Amino acid sequence: AQSVTQLGSHVSVSEGALVLLRCNYSSSVPPYLFWYVQYPNQGLQLLLKYTTGATLVKGINGFEAEFKKSETSFHLTKPSAHMSDAAEYFCAVIPYNNNDMRFGAGTRLTVKP
Amino acid sequence: EAEVAQSPRYKITEKSQAVAFWCDPISGHATLYWYRQILGQGPELLVQFQDESVVDDSQLPKDRFSAERLKGVDSTLKIQPAELGDSAMYLCASSLGPGRLDEQFFGPGTRLTVL
């Protein structure tokens, strides 16, 4: 079954530093790929998604992610972290052969002043 | 801005009691999803509706969980009886259609604690 692995349940960066959140999927056929953010006591908000076409995807709040088929990865990055970026981030996939969205376990991002 | 509404936001109950959660999707959204998010994990789909019909409930524990969307608009998820392991965040989401590229919009969730 299609699975999503997020490396690192917790990531801590300093304000202004690069943010890198890792996501790998297991599938020989690339799925659709998503990144969601969840602030405390709130629902999930879509940051960005990859379906087809350009492998570098830009999203909201300055985030972007690059689809690398050879590495089965879809890592999320942001050049300079803000305090407001502190939240839980979820990578998700929709496999090529069905419509079920499957989420990774999440990565909690902490931003230090 | 249109949002998915859920109530209550928090619910504490004792095991063996019945609980119910309500979701009102964004107006015009035909597809509605219920997810369960256990602490420290990502959301898992429980049930998907297309209008008033269940499209996928393969992960719904049907011995104790039920879901309905009678008029194809708002939806109710019920647990009876609640068990300790049901403690989780229950998220509702909606989308225009069931297509893979239809963005899912999530509500704020209902946090259930079973004592």
Side-chain angles (χ1 to χ4, degrees), chain A residues 31-32 34 36 38 41-46 49 51 90 94-106, chain B residues 9-10 35 37 40-45 48 56 58 89 91 98-109 111:
Chain A
Y32 289 167
F34 305 79
Y36 282 86
Q38 186 178 31
N41 297 315
Q42 295 186 26
L44 280 69
Q45 180 183 9
L46 181 66
K49 65 182 177 184
T51 55
F90 292 94
I94 295 180
Y96 72 96
N97 58 352
N98 68 55
N99 286 351
D100 290 348
M101 181 171 284
R102 300 172 188 179
F103 290 85
Chain B
R9 293 293 309 276
Y10 304 90
Y35 289 88
Q37 184 180 15
Q41 299 181 22
E44 295 179 306
L45 181 68
Q48 177 184 344
D56 182 359
S58 57
M89 176 78 86
L91 294 166
R100 301 164 70 201
L101 296 182
D102 287 307
E103 180 178 345
Q104 295 184 30
F105 294 84
F106 285 79
R111 183 170 294 283

Side-chain angles (χ1 to χ4, degrees), chain A residues 22-103:
Chain A
R22 300 177 186 273
C23 173
N24 288 87
Y25 63 91
S26 63
S27 172
S28 58
V29 179
Y32 289 167
L33 296 153
F34 305 79
W35 274 100
Y36 282 86
V37 61
Q38 186 178 31
Y39 297 100
N41 297 315
Q42 295 186 26
L44 280 69
Q45 180 183 9
L46 181 66
L47 279 176
L48 48 78
K49 65 182 177 184
Y50 170 79
T51 55
T52 59
T55 56
L56 182 62
V57 181
K58 295 187 182 300
I60 62 172
N61 302 340
F63 284 93
E64 61 183 34
E66 186 171 12
F67 167 63
K68 292 187 177 180
K69 183 178 179 180
S70 61
E71 299 178 5
T72 62
S73 70
F74 191 55
H75 301 333
L76 182 70
T77 60
K78 182 174 181 178
S80 177
H82 294 166
M83 298 296 292
S84 60
D85 293 327
E88 188 93 16
Y89 291 81
F90 292 94
C91 182
V93 303
I94 295 180
Y96 72 96
N97 58 352
N98 68 55
N99 286 351
D100 290 348
M101 181 171 284
R102 300 172 188 179
F103 290 85

Side-chain angles (χ1 to χ4, degrees), chain B residues 79-94:
Chain B
I79 308 175
Q80 182 174 17
E83 296 181 352
L84 295 178
D86 295 332
S87 294
M89 176 78 86
Y90 290 83
L91 294 166
C92 179
S94 70

Side-chain angles (χ1 to χ4, degrees), chain B residues 29-76:
Chain B
H29 280 195
T31 308
L32 185 146
Y33 309 81
W34 282 102
Y35 289 88
R36 178 170 60 185
Q37 184 180 15
I38 296 171
L39 189 63
Q41 299 181 22
E44 295 179 306
L45 181 68
L46 290 174
V47 61
Q48 177 184 344
F49 289 91
Q50 181 62 29
D51 299 311
E52 67 277 9
S53 300
V54 173
V55 173
D56 182 359
D57 64 357
S58 57
Q59 300 303 310
L60 188 72
K62 299 181 187 64
D63 56 336
R64 297 184 301 108
F65 286 64
S66 64
E68 60 183 17
R69 193 184 184 197
L70 295 177
K71 297 182 179 180
V73 180
D74 58 339
S75 175
T76 302

